[in-house]
Amino acid sequence: MHVELGNYPEALDELIFVSTTVLQQAFDLVNTVLTKDDQLTTQSKFLPGSTIGKHLRHARDHFTLLLDCIVGNEPYIFSYDTRSRNTPMESSLSEARNAFTDTIGRVKDIPPLAKLDQPMTLNAVTPFLRAFETTFGRELWFACLHAVHHWSMIRVIAGEQGMVLPDDFGFAPSTLIYKGSDAPLGRARI
């Protein structure tokens, strides 16, 4: 099946809905599920070196790096490999809340700044330095799925700490649709 996204405003609106819903899941986690800062920094037994805070920061970085690029000047060239580490949001619930509030607001402000088919260049270390031609829409979708992947690892770490997360946290929209979920990302809009 081939679906043309182009510059259809509804396609951008749909992708913004998915992006903000995925980011809202992280905000809800740090706002209502986690109650102490040390839950962000507790090391996983099953995912060595992993913490909830590190996964939250890493996934958010992909959104912010993309957004920082698209609000700049052409040519739009960026890299996901230029992330910050050991940031305050990795160890402070209030900093994490602020970071996700800011990112959700920035995603909502995308129109009219960007078009889904806006050409971009992604520089990546694969471990060889490579440049890939891509589009803004493709990369925003990647940021969503990348975050879902990290939310699933957060689900494991949270379980180690005895926390129960919402049923849709850490599941891709396609999985939620397949399962017949009534969660916001599980309702097919085909």
Side-chain angles (χ1 to χ4, degrees):
M1 174 171 75
H2 176 74
V3 179
E4 216 33 68
L5 288 180
N7 289 320
Y8 297 104
E10 65 272 9
L12 181 57
D13 290 344
E14 291 166 357
L15 191 47
I16 289 171
F17 168 78
V18 173
S19 300
T20 56
T21 301
V22 168
L23 290 164
Q24 185 67 44
Q25 289 176 329
F27 176 83
D28 292 345
L29 174 76
V30 298
N31 196 46
T32 60
V33 177
L34 303 181
T35 58
K36 299 177 292 202
D37 288 344
D38 67 348
Q39 292 170 311
L40 289 169
T41 59
T42 299
Q43 294 277 326
S44 172
K45 295 177 222 127
F46 300 117
L47 302 168
S50 289
T51 68
I52 291 173
K54 287 179 183 179
H55 284 286
L56 290 171
R57 187 266 314 147
H58 173 77
R60 178 185 167 269
D61 279 351
H62 281 59
F63 285 97
T64 58
L65 290 165
L66 177 62
L67 295 169
D68 289 347
C69 180
I70 203 67
V71 300
N73 297 317
E74 291 187 56
Y76 299 113
I77 302 170
F78 72 109
S79 172
Y80 292 124
D81 299 315
T82 56
R83 298 182 304 270
S84 300
R85 288 174 170 77
N86 301 313
T87 63
M89 74 168 289
E90 294 178 50
S91 58
S92 165
L93 290 172
S94 64
E95 291 290 335
R97 282 190 289 272
N98 291 340
F100 282 105
T101 298
D102 175 67
T103 306
I104 291 167
R106 290 184 68 196
V107 169
K108 287 179 179 178
D109 289 343
I110 289 171
L113 301 174
K115 299 177 292 186
L116 287 178
D117 62 355
Q118 175 63 54
M120 302 183 81
T121 300
L122 170 65
N123 289 332
V125 177
T126 66
F128 309 101
L129 182 58
R130 293 288 174 243
F132 298 97
E133 297 308 312
T134 188
T135 64
F136 175 74
R138 191 264 175 242
E139 294 308 317
L140 188 56
W141 181 240
F142 169 73
C144 292
L145 291 181
H146 178 256
V148 168
H149 164 73
H150 282 278
W151 294 180
S152 69
M153 289 185 273
I154 288 171
R155 177 178 280 289
V156 171
I157 300 168
E160 290 178 41
Q161 296 182 46
M163 290 179 252
V164 177
L165 301 186
D167 290 342
D168 62 330
F169 190 93
F171 287 95
S174 59
T175 302
L176 294 171
I177 290 168
Y178 175 79
K179 292 167 69 173
S181 173
D182 197 32
L185 294 180
R187 294 184 215 117
R189 292 167 175 81
I190 299 173

